[in-house]
Every structure is written in C-alpha cells, then in structure tokens.
Amino acid sequence: MRIALDGTSLVGSRSGVGAVVDELTKGLAANDDIDLTVLLISRRAGADLGSHLPPGAPLRRLPLPAQAYHWAWRYASRPSVRGYDVVHGPNYVVPPAGGGAELLTIHDFTAWRFPELVGGATHSFPRLVDEAIRRGAHIHAVSNTVAEEALHYLPIPAERVHTISNGMVPPSSGDASAGLEASGGHPYLLALGTIEPRKDHPTLLRAFAELRARHPDLRLVVAGGDGWGTEAYEKALAESGVANEVIRLGYVSENTKADLLAGASVFVYPSIYEGFGLPPLEAAASGVPVVATAVGSIPEVMADGALLVPSGEASALADAIDRVLTDDNERLRLLAAGAARVEHYTWPAAVDALVDLYRRLSSP
C-alpha cells in the first residue's frame, strides 16, 4: 500500500505528538506491506529532516508555507496530494488525497471543548477537521474517550471513527543521582509538559505550597518548554510563596527526562483535560508513582495505575501526593498497578492495527 504520512510534527523540539509520529514513522517504514512517504508541510523548516528518517521512508516536501496550505484546505480542499492509497494526517490536519482515502488523527478535543485554552494555529483545527470530514475522511481516535467525543462534536457517522490507542516506549533507564542534582539533592515532585493552560501548572503550584508545610525538604521540578501558559505560570509562581523551592528546567532531552523520572518521588499530572496522556505511562514505566487528575482519557488509560483527583482542586491534589509520600502500601500498590497498565500500550500493536485500518480504507 502506498501511504503518505504527514511528518511535519517531527521538526524541532518533539512534543507528545512528535513522539507519536516518530514511532509511527519507524513502525510503518519497517512494515513490508507499506510503501511509505513522509510529507513535510513547511517551506523553510526541517531542511535536514530526510536524513533523520528511517530507511524506506523517503521525504516529500510541499513547497508552500503550512499556513497557506491550511487556509486552502480549510476553504477550498485543494491542492491535493495525489498518488497514494491513503493519506494520513496524524495531527488534526490531512491533505486532500485526490482520489485516495484520507485518515485524520485526533489526539484530543481541546480546541472544541476549551477554545480559550489553545493558541496559534490550533484554533483552526475544528474547521479543518469539518472540511476533511465533508470530503469523506475517516477519524483515528487515540482513545475510547476521544472516539466518544468525536461522535459528539463532529458531523461524522460512527463507522468512520476508529479507535487505535497510542503505544508507549518506556524511557531509557535513568540515573537517579543525576535527577536529584536538579533539585539540589532534595526529594522532589516531577511535572512534565509544555507550559500551557491545559496542563494547569497554577493548581500544581498551589498544591505544592500546601505540601511544603508537611514536607519542608520537598522540591518541585517542572520540565517542559514555554507555551502560551507561561505568563500565568510565572504569575502563579510569584504568588505561591514557594518560588525558591521550584526548579524550572524548560525543555529537556530524552536522557535528562529519564534521569528526572529515575530520581522523582512522585510524578504529578494536574491537567484540565487529556485525550490520551503519555507522560503518566512513561512515569509508571520508570517506576514512579503517579498522581493525576480524573479528566478526559486519564481514567481510561491509567485506571488504578494512578491516584486520581478532581481537576483544579489544589488541596485534593496536595492530599493525594502526601498520601503517596507517607503511605508505603499505597505507593507499592500504585507502582504495581502502573506497571500493569504499561503493558496495554505497545507500538507494534498500534502500528499493526493502523496497517489493518489502512488496508480496509484502501479496499474498493
């Protein structure tokens, strides 16, 4: 099968979507049934992307800026990308396939449910998705939660919505001592993720301020690049009273992330909403107990492998973290249950399911 996969998310610092697309690219390129082409929808960025792709994944660069294509696809459904059995857009946007099948991955419905929490080009996703559906595109949902939301928010019949969960690559074994260096040798909570409103770092900072009275040696390490929530984060930090005990690292490499996970006492994920939630699985795979909010797909993905609390409630979050820090039985239970959840999500299984879907979509 001739498959075109949009690889634009591979350019620059890898977000969660970039990590997903990287694994899909590697898995599809290694599949004997797939003749894969990676699309780059950017005029300037990613000039050397082709040299980083796996063997068997040639790069096709579309010559105009992404913004121009998005505008044209949103209002006119052209130009098309021809010559493929399936064109797959793994990040909300799929080019018109010019006679081939179109598959569009939706990771979450933030732009629909919480438009005030998104920035930049993300605001255009609903219109782009609607236009793709009008052309006949199918939806790939990364969780049952997202699939159910697709039927609620999108003008699409159920038979064109397909659930295939993401896989997960456990982080490499990290050096706990290197992780502890980031906190000056103190025990620490770890938060991973871009500083954006959906991740709700302000609630985490309020919870940490409560915890400091009970655990004066505790620190909070926040790793993740600047997003459109940085101003709110900095304001909340200044008002928290614990700014000196919070270590902000910015975007970190995979090796540094592994070190931070290895040394963390608790991984905290205080999101307002998630469509999948890869970081809690990575933490569980690294042997770190997880405290998260019971929002979106997190209860589906983590089940009893995380201690779940309501979103936005700083005191509930602080109490849950305190429980993990002080109750050895609860900590051991979370570690065992988290390790069991990790086993449900592998990339070979995800790629096999996706190839089967391609096969069904490309059949007459």
Side-chain angles (χ1 to χ4, degrees):
M1 292 178 290
R2 297 163 300 168
I3 306 298
L5 178 74
D6 179 5
T8 310
S9 300
L10 297 171
V11 175
S13 299
R14 295 283 171 85
S15 64
V17 174
V20 167
V21 176
D22 183 48
E23 293 300 327
L24 287 180
T25 302
K26 290 186 290 190
L28 293 171
N31 190 294
D32 292 338
D33 292 336
I34 299 297
D35 178 5
L36 180 67
T37 297
V38 176
L39 303 177
L40 176 59
I41 306 171
S42 175
R43 184 172 64 180
R44 293 193 180 95
D48 63 341
L49 179 60
S51 64
H52 299 291
L53 296 176
L59 182 68
R60 177 180 174 182
R61 188 179 192 125
L62 304 189
L64 299 178
Q67 186 176 8
Y69 283 112
H70 288 185
W71 188 93
W73 295 336
R74 178 179 174 182
Y75 292 106
S77 282
R78 59 183 186 183
S80 60
V81 177
R82 297 179 179 272
Y84 305 99
D85 298 305
V86 180
V87 176
H88 183 181
N91 191 22
Y92 298 92
V93 181
V94 61
E102 297 175 24
L103 180 64
L104 174 65
T105 298
I106 293 184
H107 299 275
D108 60 63
F109 276 88
T110 307
W112 288 258
R113 293 185 56 184
F114 306 102
E116 72 279 7
L117 300 184
V118 303
T122 306
H123 284 293
S124 67
F125 285 170
R127 180 62 184 267
L128 282 161
V129 170
D130 282 353
E131 182 61 19
I133 291 170
R134 188 194 65 77
R135 294 194 304 264
H138 288 242
I139 298 298
H140 161 218
V142 300
S143 65
N144 290 321
T145 300
V146 170
E148 291 168 3
E149 291 177 333
L151 297 178
H152 178 76
Y153 289 103
L154 303 179
I156 191 169
E159 61 268 20
R160 281 165 55 193
V161 178
H162 313 273
T163 302
I164 299 173
S165 296
N166 290 328
M168 198 279 295
V169 177
S172 58
S173 297
D175 181 350
S177 63
L180 284 163
E181 285 182 13
S183 67
H186 296 273
Y188 62 90
L189 313 176
L190 177 64
L192 291 172
T194 302
I195 307 298
E196 58 174 289
R198 184 166 58 90
K199 301 301 183 182
D200 199 9
H201 291 88
T203 292
L204 173 59
L205 290 169
R206 292 193 297 272
F208 178 62
E210 290 190 31
L211 279 166
R212 283 279 301 167
R214 304 176 229 177
H215 303 274
D217 199 37
L218 191 65
R219 301 292 184 270
L220 171 62
V221 175
V222 178
D226 286 344
W228 49 95
T230 303
E231 184 177 341
Y233 169 87
E234 291 176 348
K235 181 176 184 293
L237 181 64
E239 295 172 350
S240 69
V242 291
N244 291 336
E245 285 74 47
V246 178
I247 298 94
R248 171 85 193 285
L249 298 180
Y251 182 82
V252 298
S253 69
E254 288 298 309
N255 287 339
T256 299
K257 180 173 76 173
D259 292 341
L260 292 171
L261 286 167
S265 297
V266 182
F267 180 79
V268 189
Y269 205 58
S271 296
I272 293 172
Y273 167 68
E274 292 289 338
F276 186 76
L278 184 61
L281 282 176
E282 292 180 324
S286 300
V288 185
V290 176
V291 174
T293 43
V295 298
S297 65
I298 293 178
E300 173 191 341
V301 172
M302 293 304 297
D304 61 348
L307 190 55
L308 302 178
V309 300
S311 174
E313 297 189 12
S315 292
L317 187 62
D319 288 344
I321 296 168
D322 180 63
R323 181 177 171 186
V324 177
L325 290 172
T326 58
D327 186 336
D328 288 341
N329 289 332
E330 179 65 3
R331 184 180 185 88
L332 291 173
R333 184 196 69 78
L334 285 172
L335 292 176
R341 294 307 299 167
V342 169
E343 300 298 322
H344 290 267
Y345 302 98
T346 69
W347 277 116
V351 170
D352 285 349
L354 195 57
V355 170
D356 180 66
L357 177 57
Y358 290 160
R359 191 174 291 114
R360 287 183 277 129
L361 295 184
S362 61
S363 297

